[in-house]
Short mmCIF file of all heavy atoms in Angstrom, two decimals:
data_model
loop_
_atom_site.label_atom_id
_atom_site.label_comp_id
_atom_site.label_asym_id
_atom_site.label_seq_id
_atom_site.Cartn_x
_atom_site.Cartn_y
_atom_site.Cartn_z
N GLY A 1 1.49 -10.62 -10.84
CA GLY A 1 2.15 -9.37 -11.15
C GLY A 1 1.16 -8.26 -11.34
O GLY A 1 -0.01 -8.43 -11.17
N THR A 5 -2.33 -0.17 -16.81
CA THR A 5 -3.75 0.24 -16.80
C THR A 5 -4.22 0.90 -18.05
O THR A 5 -5.40 1.05 -18.27
CB THR A 5 -4.02 1.15 -15.62
OG1 THR A 5 -3.17 2.28 -15.74
CG2 THR A 5 -3.76 0.46 -14.30
N ILE A 40 5.70 -0.34 -10.46
CA ILE A 40 6.76 -0.99 -9.70
C ILE A 40 6.37 -2.46 -9.65
O ILE A 40 5.32 -2.80 -9.15
CB ILE A 40 6.90 -0.38 -8.27
CG1 ILE A 40 7.27 1.08 -8.36
CG2 ILE A 40 7.86 -1.19 -7.41
CD1 ILE A 40 7.21 1.83 -7.05
N CYS A 94 6.84 -4.68 7.04
CA CYS A 94 7.80 -3.57 7.13
C CYS A 94 7.61 -3.04 8.53
O CYS A 94 6.88 -2.09 8.79
CB CYS A 94 7.48 -2.51 6.09
SG CYS A 94 7.80 -3.03 4.38
N SER A 121 0.84 3.67 13.25
CA SER A 121 -0.16 4.01 14.29
C SER A 121 -1.39 4.71 13.69
O SER A 121 -2.43 4.70 14.36
CB SER A 121 0.46 4.87 15.39
OG SER A 121 0.90 6.11 14.85
N ALA A 136 -5.73 -6.28 5.06
CA ALA A 136 -4.92 -5.16 4.60
C ALA A 136 -4.07 -4.49 5.70
O ALA A 136 -2.98 -4.08 5.48
CB ALA A 136 -5.80 -4.08 3.92
N LEU A 178 -15.29 0.93 14.76
CA LEU A 178 -15.09 -0.44 14.26
C LEU A 178 -14.00 -1.07 15.15
O LEU A 178 -12.87 -0.59 15.15
CB LEU A 178 -14.61 -0.42 12.82
CG LEU A 178 -15.58 0.22 11.79
CD1 LEU A 178 -14.93 0.32 10.45
CD2 LEU A 178 -16.86 -0.55 11.75
#
Side-chain angles (χ1 to χ4, degrees):
T5 58
I40 296 172
C94 292
S121 64
L178 298 174

